[in-house]
Amino acid sequence: MSREVGRLDEVELKQRIALFDADGDLEQCCREIWELIAADKRVVARAYWERYARSPEIKRPIGPEKMEELTDRIIPHIEGKYSGLTNPVWTHMVCDYVDQASKAGISQSTLYSGVAACAQVIQQLVERAIADDPARPATLAKALIALTTLE
């Protein structure tokens, strides 16, 4: 049985996750991160597009209406990877985004800069949400790094 190149099935995704999940708690940490940031999901998603828009590869400005549309478009991806890490649906979204960007002449560096912007905003949100628990931010930061790299 064939499948699309670059798309992971559930078994392959679990194998890949295991490479990044040294402590065995990545999925639980991702769910906890989602609980902490869900109310600010638009802020996280918008950070992606704001960073993306600054790339010299993006020739036309992204207006406010388009920014809102793009923000709405990636929220399911962000929610999926944090709330359902082992469900390959979020990886299929990534493959689709990368494929579309490639066809439009947008580099992976531009895409990854947006991913980094999301991670930076998430880190700030997490730190604020659990500032009273000095050990927890380090654990969740480790999970955030693993998931960002996994993507």
Side-chain angles (χ1 to χ4, degrees):
M1 183 178 268
S2 66
R3 63 182 175 82
E4 289 183 56
V5 175
R7 291 196 181 261
L8 299 175
D9 64 24
E10 191 171 343
V11 172
E12 291 168 317
L13 179 57
K14 286 181 181 180
Q15 290 170 342
R16 188 172 289 180
I17 290 168
L19 293 171
F20 293 87
D21 190 11
D23 297 330
D25 63 352
L26 182 59
E27 187 171 14
Q28 175 56 38
C29 287
C30 288
R31 279 195 299 270
E32 184 175 347
I33 290 169
W34 179 249
E35 290 172 12
L36 296 171
I37 69 165
D40 293 306
K41 62 188 173 189
R42 294 192 64 73
V43 173
V44 173
R46 179 179 282 278
Y48 178 93
W49 293 110
E50 288 173 348
R51 181 77 55 87
Y52 174 95
R54 291 196 317 227
S55 169
E57 296 173 344
I58 308 306
K59 304 299 182 198
R60 293 183 306 184
I62 299 174
E65 289 177 14
K66 185 66 173 179
M67 183 66 74
E68 291 305 310
E69 175 190 329
L70 294 169
T71 297
D72 289 340
R73 187 184 306 167
I74 67 165
I75 288 173
H77 158 72
I78 295 168
E79 180 175 2
K81 72 180 179 179
Y82 284 95
S83 67
L85 180 63
T86 58
N87 183 337
V89 170
W90 71 269
T91 67
H92 299 170
M93 291 179 202
V94 170
C95 288
D96 291 343
Y97 297 150
V98 171
D99 185 52
Q100 291 169 15
S102 177
K103 288 176 181 172
I106 305 301
S107 70
Q108 289 184 7
S109 293
T110 292
L111 299 177
Y112 207 71
S113 73
V115 172
C118 286
Q120 291 163 353
V121 168
I122 290 169
Q123 182 65 35
Q124 293 168 352
L125 292 168
V126 167
E127 286 174 357
R128 270 187 252 146
I130 55 176
D132 59 337
D133 183 355
R136 203 69 192 132
T139 300
L140 296 181
K142 192 165 88 172
L144 180 59
I145 291 167
L147 183 54
T148 302
T149 307
L150 175 64
E151 184 170 7

